[in-house]
Amino acid sequence: IPRLFCSAPPPPKAVQHPEPELTMRALAEMGFSETQAEVVYEVAKKKRCKHQVPILTSLFVLGFNPDSMLKVLEKCPDLYVVKESQLQQRIANLRKLGLLEGSLQRVISHYPQILSLPIKKVNAVSRLLREKCQFTVQQVTDILRDSPHILQEDHTSLEYVFQYAYFRMGCQQAEMVKAKLFRLSVEELQCRHGFLERRGLYQTPDKKGQTLIVNPKLKDFLPVSEETFLTKIALSTQEEFDVFRKLLARELEEERGREHTRTAS
Amino acid sequence: TKWAGTRPKVASSDLALHHFDMTYSLQLGDLWPSVRVGMLSEKKYGALVNSFSCDSDVISALQTQGCRDFISTALTEHLSTDPELHNPTAAPITSHIQCFTFPRGDISRFRPARSDSNGLLNYYLLDAASVLPVLALDVQPGHSVLDLCAGPGGKTLALLQTHDLRFLWANDLSGSRTARLRRTLQSYLPTELLMEGKVHVTSVDGRQWRDKDESTFDRVLVDVPCTTDRHSLMEEENNIFKRSRTRERQMLPLLQMELLLAGIQAVRPGGDVVYSTCSLSQLQNECVVQRAVTVAQQEMGIRVEVQNLSSFTRLFSHTFHFAPQPAVGELVLPHLCANFGPIYLCKLRRMS
Ligand SMILES: C[S@@+](CC[C@H](N)C(=O)[O-])C[C@H]1O[C@@H](n2cnc3c(N)ncnc32)[C@H](O)[C@@H]1O
């Protein structure tokens, strides 16, 4: 496995220094073009990384090609400075969480930040999903694959999204995973659900799980564009939905204000 | 807990919603979801300007906030651009009433009214659509007017903006409501005006006018008690869908018809009556009017004619959503972008 050094700037072509030459060759071996290699050097220099760039090695081993490696680093330049041992532990941990070949690569290219997060942080979220929200191990894997950004979200709001879907909307975990629930913000979830509910198109199931109307499936109205949501499910107009969004935001804000005064007094 | 929903178990508002889902989905069809979400969300107000107040800044202050008087806007802008409105049967509007509203889709709220140097409040906040029955009544200088169910007084105040009416009798069965009405009048009208005996407030059963033999009023407003749909969906207090009030609720259409008949009895031949509710219910709206017209003819020997208000509603269609053609009268439908109403109104002319 080639090691990459980036302490020195790219040398002028005529001058032959042993070390940088090796680096250039290493980059070339990974398939980087000269211009691409220069980009890598440039950023590495800015990031003041003293010795090497283990992320390139790690990505290379995972089968990334130079184009996608560059994209990853562009999205998350922090990765330039992550230590090799840390990277290896983090990748191993993601595998342990069920993100196997294919999924692992997809998550990393989609959300490179995942490699910049400490294992503790990642595992805390996975534990929250399993223990507090009672998702199965497989479901947790699916959630992490579909919505890795939740790893950086505040736990209280994650739990709130789950509780809203579970208690307020009466949904089961499997539906939530299918609908990629965690891709939505709490506000968006409340807005779409609240709109349907007040239009009479969604009901919270009673204790026996029954409703008077047939609720639309979560996966049909959450992971879809607003246009599809309005034309296919809510059967309404953009104008109405925009006003509703404003009204609901104000309602919730005022409710929080009231709760705040209640707990404060 | 926060997940049990915001309302108690079988809240009256839930009963109301269930009842509305059953009846209005049939009555309004595809329009119902839009009306429903409107009624379950914050309503819009209008600021009825008090022309007796000497707060000279009020208009410009309202305009700076982005509101417009929907009545003069309709008269100056839409009347001139809409050729259909020039036909002679168009309901005449000669009004001094100014009612400011925020534009379509704007959810801003009004500040509370302020008092002027004489202690009179500068505007009264109400559902802007509730000004429509007053406008439709078309009060002229010198008219005597009866407001049969007047408390708490929003429409009474609107009626009084026509300064040169001769006499206004405001009545409400409920003592507490008339007390509120009196307080409202005191906060909005100069004492001299109240002393002149121009305004008369009573607290009797409006149905009594049916037995009186004097048909003297030029105009009568019959703004009846009803299921107050919006209120019933949002508030537990004084909710007519409370189980213990089922019978009272079922008797409403009868009461409403009797009040309308009393209004018809009180108006002079050639005079106008406006019947209004704040409900979507056909049973309380069209059915009551149609039944009253028949009963007036058959039992009282009075012929009344329903007046066509379609050009009137057309004039205000930039501000309100009107239901497509009820059998008689006009109905303002709540809608998120123009969240006024529901207000039903029907104008009747006494012919004999
Ligand atoms: C819809 S509210 C009137 C609102 C009022 N016009 C306004 O704009 O502020 C109906 C009123 O009818 C009154 N009422 C009920 N039964 C009545 C009766 N038999 N005679 C007169 N008023 C009655 C109620 O007390 C209530 O105040």
Side-chain angles (χ1 to χ4, degrees):
Chain A
I1 294 168
R3 294 210 137 177
L4 298 168
F5 295 87
C6 64
S7 52
K13 292 238 169 63
V15 194
Q16 300 281 312
H17 286 302
E19 242 181 35
E21 202 191 44
L22 177 74
T23 310
M24 281 302 275
R25 202 171 60 225
L27 285 172
E29 267 168 23
M30 284 192 232
F32 283 98
S33 72
E34 208 167 301
T35 12
Q36 285 175 327
E38 272 163 22
V39 171
V40 173
Y41 271 125
E42 233 4 81
V43 187
K45 200 170 71 186
K46 268 203 217 113
K47 283 267 152 194
R48 280 189 268 146
C49 73
K50 294 268 152 33
H51 307 292
Q52 54 193 35
V53 189
I55 183 66
L56 288 176
T57 328
S58 301
L59 292 177
F60 182 73
V61 171
L62 285 172
F64 280 74
N65 64 32
D67 279 342
S68 39
M69 279 195 242
L70 274 181
K71 273 195 202 113
V72 163
L73 287 168
E74 217 172 277
K75 276 197 204 164
C76 183
D78 286 352
L79 291 179
Y80 274 101
V81 296
V82 183
K83 289 201 202 81
E84 184 177 357
S85 59
Q86 278 180 332
L87 277 174
Q88 269 161 19
Q89 281 164 9
R90 288 174 190 173
I91 290 170
N93 187 53
L94 293 177
R95 286 211 169 92
K96 216 166 68 204
L97 289 173
L99 293 169
L100 305 177
E101 294 333 293
S103 301
L104 185 59
Q105 283 79 353
R106 238 177 300 138
V107 168
I108 294 173
S109 31
H110 187 71
Y111 188 75
Q113 291 88 331
I114 200 165
L115 290 180
S116 69
L117 301 176
I119 290 184
K120 243 171 117 185
K121 190 161 178 163
V122 173
N123 288 351
V125 170
S126 128
R127 224 175 12 254
L128 174 93
L129 292 174
R130 261 185 297 115
E131 291 169 7
K132 291 212 174 148
C133 312
Q134 313 214 322
F135 286 104
T136 65
V137 172
Q138 179 57 52
Q139 285 170 340
V140 172
T141 307
D142 291 347
I143 293 171
L144 293 181
R145 192 195 51 221
D146 293 335
S147 358
H149 68 275
I150 65 166
L151 291 169
Q152 282 192 292
E153 240 158 61
D154 166 47
H155 285 202
T156 329
S157 54
L158 273 184
E159 213 181 323
Y160 188 87
V161 168
F162 166 77
Q163 293 191 338
Y164 189 89
Y166 190 79
F167 293 104
R168 185 69 179 76
M169 301 175 70
C171 295
Q172 296 304 311
Q173 282 86 346
E175 299 172 64
M176 300 182 204
V177 176
K178 237 193 247 155
K180 306 188 195 323
L181 172 73
F182 292 100
R183 281 196 184 172
L184 263 77
S185 65
V186 194
E187 291 78 21
E188 195 54 32
L189 177 65
Q190 287 175 321
C191 196
R192 288 196 182 189
H193 166 250
F195 194 57
L196 292 180
E197 182 174 62
R198 290 193 204 179
R199 291 180 71 83
L201 302 173
Y202 195 100
Q203 267 176 15
T204 306
D206 64 12
K207 277 191 230 107
K208 290 181 206 138
Q210 289 169 337
T211 51
L212 292 173
I213 54 166
V214 183
N215 282 338
K217 294 237 179 320
L218 218 52
K219 70 167 173 49
D220 291 331
F221 71 89
L222 292 188
V224 297
S225 70
E226 196 156 293
E227 198 195 334
T228 310
F229 169 70
L230 289 172
T231 54
K232 297 264 155 58
I233 306 290
L235 310 177
S236 180
T237 61
Q238 188 72 50
E239 193 192 18
E240 278 179 272
F241 193 51
D242 290 344
V243 175
F244 182 73
R245 191 190 299 282
K246 286 190 278 181
L247 283 173
L248 187 70
R250 187 164 71 187
E251 258 177 51
L252 295 172
E253 189 188 314
E254 289 177 348
E255 202 169 294
R256 276 194 294 273
R258 276 195 300 277
E259 239 153 59
H260 189 74
T261 26
R262 227 179 292 140
T263 44
S265 56
Chain B
T1 67
K2 60 181 167 181
W3 300 113
T6 43
R7 293 177 292 217
K9 238 345 191 2
V10 234
S12 309
S13 46
D14 287 339
L15 295 175
L17 184 57
H18 184 68
H19 180 88
F20 294 161
D21 272 333
M22 304 312 254
T23 48
Y24 297 155
S25 59
L26 292 177
Q27 185 186 319
L28 295 169
D30 291 348
L31 293 174
W32 172 232
S34 245
V35 175
R36 192 183 194 272
V37 67
M39 287 209 287
L40 290 169
S41 305
E42 186 175 317
K43 65 175 172 183
K44 277 182 91 157
Y45 282 88
L48 174 70
V49 172
N50 181 18
S51 54
F52 296 103
S53 150
C54 53
D55 177 357
S56 47
D57 295 339
V58 62
I59 306 282
S60 59
L62 287 168
Q63 279 166 344
T64 337
Q65 288 165 55
C67 342
R68 303 230 281 164
D69 169 23
F70 81 83
I71 303 158
S72 58
T73 306
L75 289 173
T76 54
E77 290 177 14
H78 312 319
L79 193 58
S80 52
T81 53
D82 189 341
E84 292 236 341
L85 286 172
H86 284 300
N87 74 54
T89 62
I93 294 170
T94 46
S95 149
H96 305 283
I97 300 173
Q98 285 178 290
C99 184
F100 282 75
T101 54
F102 282 98
R104 189 180 169 82
D106 187 330
I107 64 163
S108 313
R109 291 170 177 156
F110 290 102
R111 305 193 184 121
R114 275 191 337 204
S115 357
D116 66 4
S117 49
N118 300 326
L120 298 183
L121 290 169
N122 57 356
Y123 53 70
Y124 183 90
L125 295 179
L126 40 52
D127 183 338
S130 70
V131 172
L132 295 177
V134 176
L135 290 175
L137 199 58
D138 189 31
V139 174
Q140 300 291 319
H143 271 172
S144 66
V145 182
L146 171 62
D147 188 355
L148 199 62
C149 308
K155 295 189 191 71
T156 317
L157 265 189
L159 285 167
L160 284 165
Q161 301 305 314
T162 313
H163 289 199
D164 37 11
L165 57 80
R166 187 161 53 80
F167 176 65
L168 177 93
W169 189 334
N171 174 70
D172 198 286
L173 175 63
S174 145
S176 62
R177 289 278 202 144
T178 32
R180 242 177 95 189
L181 170 68
R182 276 179 217 279
R183 282 199 299 278
T184 306
L185 294 180
Q186 272 157 19
S187 335
Y188 284 87
L189 303 180
T191 335
E192 312 86 75
L193 190 86
L194 292 169
M195 300 305 283
E196 275 168 22
K198 217 176 181 180
V199 185
H200 187 54
V201 180
T202 56
S203 190
V204 297
D205 190 330
R207 286 173 288 189
Q208 286 181 14
W209 264 271
R210 217 183 141 176
D211 308 321
K212 292 187 186 165
D213 228 1
E214 37 199 282
S215 303
T216 53
F217 289 98
D218 298 294
R219 298 284 186 263
V220 178
L221 179 61
V222 185
D223 187 34
V224 293
C226 65
T227 43
T228 52
D229 294 359
R230 217 186 255 275
H231 176 91
S232 298
L233 283 178
M234 303 306 269
E235 313 277 342
E236 279 308 297
E237 205 186 300
N238 193 21
N239 194 311
I240 197 158
F241 283 85
K242 216 171 272 166
R243 289 213 199 274
S244 58
R245 295 180 70 184
T246 306
R247 173 124 187 96
E248 180 192 347
R249 180 161 54 81
Q250 287 166 345
M251 295 305 285
L252 275 176
L254 189 62
L255 172 63
Q256 290 159 342
M257 184 189 69
E258 290 180 334
L259 286 166
L260 177 50
L261 288 171
I264 291 172
Q265 175 67 45
V267 81
R268 67 165 164 82
D272 292 329
V273 175
V274 167
Y275 173 83
S276 60
T277 74
C278 49
S279 168
L280 297 164
S281 160
Q282 266 169 347
L283 215 55
Q284 299 174 60
N285 298 337
E286 296 103 292
C287 294
V288 166
V289 170
Q290 286 169 322
R291 191 83 197 112
V293 170
T294 312
V295 175
Q297 176 75 63
Q298 289 175 350
E299 293 178 16
M300 298 152 66
I302 299 176
R303 196 161 71 80
V304 288
E305 246 174 30
V306 172
Q307 304 294 293
N308 184 349
L309 288 176
S310 60
S311 45
F312 175 85
T313 51
R314 203 183 154 104
L315 186 55
F316 296 116
S317 60
H318 295 258
T319 308
F320 304 104
H321 277 241
F322 288 96
Q325 309 263 295
V328 288
E330 299 289 346
L331 176 64
V332 176
L333 296 176
H335 185 279
L336 281 170
C337 305
N339 210 356
F340 305 104
I343 291 285
Y344 174 80
L345 63 148
C346 185
K347 183 171 180 172
L348 303 157
R349 180 157 297 161
R350 177 170 173 168
M351 309 307 287
S352 58

